[in-house]
Amino acid sequence: MRNSTMDVLLRLGMPAGLKGITYICDAVELDKDPYYNDGKICSLYGEIARKHNTTASGVERAIRHAFEKALDNGAEEDINYYLDVTNTTNSHLLHTLYFRMQQEMEKEPEEPSCLKDCAMKEKIYHEIMDVLCSGLASELVKRLETQ
């Protein structure tokens, strides 16, 4: 989930060098705990701060700054999909991002393009073999008739 979260955050326009982007990834991973869903966002900040040897207020500030950058620089369509711009508090933005990412993960995975390519190649191979076999069969019949 961390890689997909990072992809989404970069697509939202967050600069990769911000500490907040790492903290948001941590928050999305920790948000699976129902304790955090009940509005205990300060505990979430504390947990992330311990992990990175910093303060909870530093984590909160870095996350807020990262979201501000995304809201200012991101593509409007992506921002409106992954974040709720009517309520831009950290806790609300984190929860909205988390729920959107959960929805995406629950969707049926799309067949990878390499599998589509393989299926197409197999189909072409079988069509060519059918043509070749029928051509060879007709050529063999002709040769047998001339003998």
Side-chain angles (χ1 to χ4, degrees):
M1 179 134 183
R2 188 173 194 85
N3 288 337
S4 57
T5 303
M6 186 64 75
D7 288 341
V8 168
L9 296 176
L10 293 172
R11 195 173 342 132
L12 289 175
M14 286 187 194
L18 295 179
K19 290 179 185 176
I21 202 168
T22 304
Y23 299 159
I24 292 169
C25 288
D26 291 341
V28 169
E29 286 178 342
L30 291 171
D31 206 13
K32 295 173 189 164
D33 187 337
Y35 180 73
Y36 299 123
N37 282 331
D38 292 335
K40 310 291 190 269
I41 198 73
C42 292
S43 298
L44 181 65
Y45 295 151
E47 185 85 19
I48 295 167
R50 278 188 290 284
K51 181 177 179 179
H52 294 279
N53 198 27
T54 188
T55 64
S57 63
V59 169
E60 185 274 332
R61 189 171 42 252
I63 289 174
R64 183 172 8 97
H65 179 66
F67 277 131
E68 287 171 356
K69 286 292 187 184
L71 292 169
D72 291 343
N73 302 330
E76 188 174 340
E77 186 177 314
D78 289 332
I79 295 293
N80 289 330
Y81 180 76
Y82 287 104
L83 305 174
D84 181 5
V85 295
T86 59
N87 181 350
T88 59
T89 61
N90 279 1
S91 61
H92 189 74
L93 292 172
L94 284 169
H95 286 299
T96 305
L97 176 66
Y98 174 76
F99 290 133
R100 283 295 189 191
M101 296 201 59
Q102 286 298 105
Q103 287 175 337
E104 284 185 354
M105 292 182 84
E106 290 172 3
K107 288 181 185 175
E108 184 140 346
E110 189 175 310
E111 186 178 89
S113 63
C114 63
L115 293 179
K116 291 178 187 175
D117 292 345
C118 290
M120 181 61 77
K121 288 177 183 176
E122 182 181 12
K123 183 177 178 181
I124 292 169
Y125 171 79
H126 286 293
E127 288 175 4
I128 291 171
M129 292 306 292
D130 288 343
V131 170
L132 284 173
C133 288
S134 65
L136 285 173
S138 63
E139 187 65 32
L140 183 60
V141 169
K142 285 180 192 176
R143 288 186 184 233
L144 288 174
E145 289 175 352
T146 57
Q147 291 181 356

